[in-house]
Amino acid sequence: MRTNIILSGVGGQGILTIAAVLDTAALNENLFIKQSEVHGMSQRGGAVQSHVRISDKEIFSDLIPEGKADLILSVEPMELLRYLPFLKQDGWLITDSETFQNTSNYPDKDDLFKEIGKYPNHIIVDATQIAKKIGNSRIANMVLLGAASSIIPLSESSMIEAIRRLFQHKSEKIIRLNLEAFNEGKKVAEGIINLADS
């Protein structure tokens, strides 16, 4: 088993937190993991991406070759499009529908969704709005991780335990909000995947 995941977004959207949950959950399951350095963290609003590779055998490179990503998980739709050359033929695209317009020539939202829609395996989640309803827009990253959870070959219990461990220094309320976000994302994605399969 080997799974290659590209995480993308902009600074401040919690890409590093998603990577940390995946890393912790994989280690809980005694799997090998390699993660590339996260780029762009120094500039809030700047592009951020990380490669996460999970395997039951030793991994020698932390970078995913073009055409080999099983999943591109993005907290921002335009940032997702940057990494399309890395997606394998039957790979998955998952992104928030909320845009972060950090350039003057940001493309039209409908054009972005049309481009993403060309790929059969895609899920566009209104993650920021779901997170706001739960009580904190900053947990949109956990909504998206929940949406991707059925595609990632890690058990739900390992991911939940990883979320608990990563936020253990915070309040019980913060842990509960992140877990609720994860569960809501999971429910939304299950509905979309079930519709695609029917």
Side-chain angles (χ1 to χ4, degrees), residues 1 17 38 48 79 81 85 150 165:
M1 178 278 285
T17 303
V38 177
V48 179
E79 292 303 322
L81 298 181
S150 63
R165 193 181 302 175

Side-chain angles (χ1 to χ4, degrees), residues 9-174:
V10 299
Q13 289 187 313
I15 299 299
L16 188 57
T17 303
I18 297 174
V21 171
L22 293 173
D23 294 352
T24 305
L27 292 172
N28 285 348
E29 297 189 18
N30 295 314
L31 295 168
F32 293 95
I33 186 143
K34 285 266 187 188
Q35 181 197 325
S36 73
E37 185 178 323
V38 177
H39 300 283
M41 289 295 286
S42 59
Q43 183 187 349
R44 191 172 182 85
V48 179
Q49 59 89 16
S50 180
H51 293 208
V52 177
R53 311 189 78 187
I54 302 166
S55 178
D56 56 0
K57 295 181 176 64
E58 194 173 356
I59 307 163
F60 296 100
S61 172
D62 57 2
L63 295 178
I64 299 167
E66 285 197 6
K68 297 293 183 182
D70 298 282
L71 167 65
I72 301 173
L73 177 60
S74 186
V75 191
E76 206 285 333
M78 191 180 82
E79 292 303 322
L80 176 109
L81 298 181
R82 288 182 197 269
Y83 302 100
L84 288 176
F86 288 90
L87 191 69
K88 65 194 285 191
Q89 197 166 4
D90 59 345
W92 278 87
L93 301 173
I94 299 180
T95 185
D96 191 358
S97 60
E98 187 93 2
T99 58
F100 186 93
Q101 301 191 18
N102 54 357
T103 62
S104 56
N105 59 345
Y106 193 94
D108 181 74
K109 199 172 180 178
D110 290 338
D111 291 342
L112 284 177
F113 293 160
K114 202 177 290 179
E115 192 61 35
I116 294 166
K118 291 177 183 176
Y119 294 81
N121 297 332
H122 72 273
I123 301 173
I124 299 172
V125 183
D126 202 351
T128 299
Q129 288 308 311
I130 291 169
K132 282 178 182 172
K133 281 180 189 169
I134 293 168
N136 188 335
S137 62
R138 293 186 62 184
I139 56 175
N141 61 339
M142 289 297 113
V143 175
L144 289 162
L145 181 59
S149 62
S150 63
I151 296 156
I152 299 167
L154 295 169
S155 72
E156 186 178 343
S157 60
S158 289
M159 285 200 259
I160 286 171
E161 176 55 34
I163 292 167
R164 285 189 180 281
R165 193 181 302 175
L166 283 167
F167 291 102
Q168 65 187 354
H169 61 288
K170 305 272 189 186
S171 68
E172 190 58 41
K173 182 186 176 187
I174 296 293

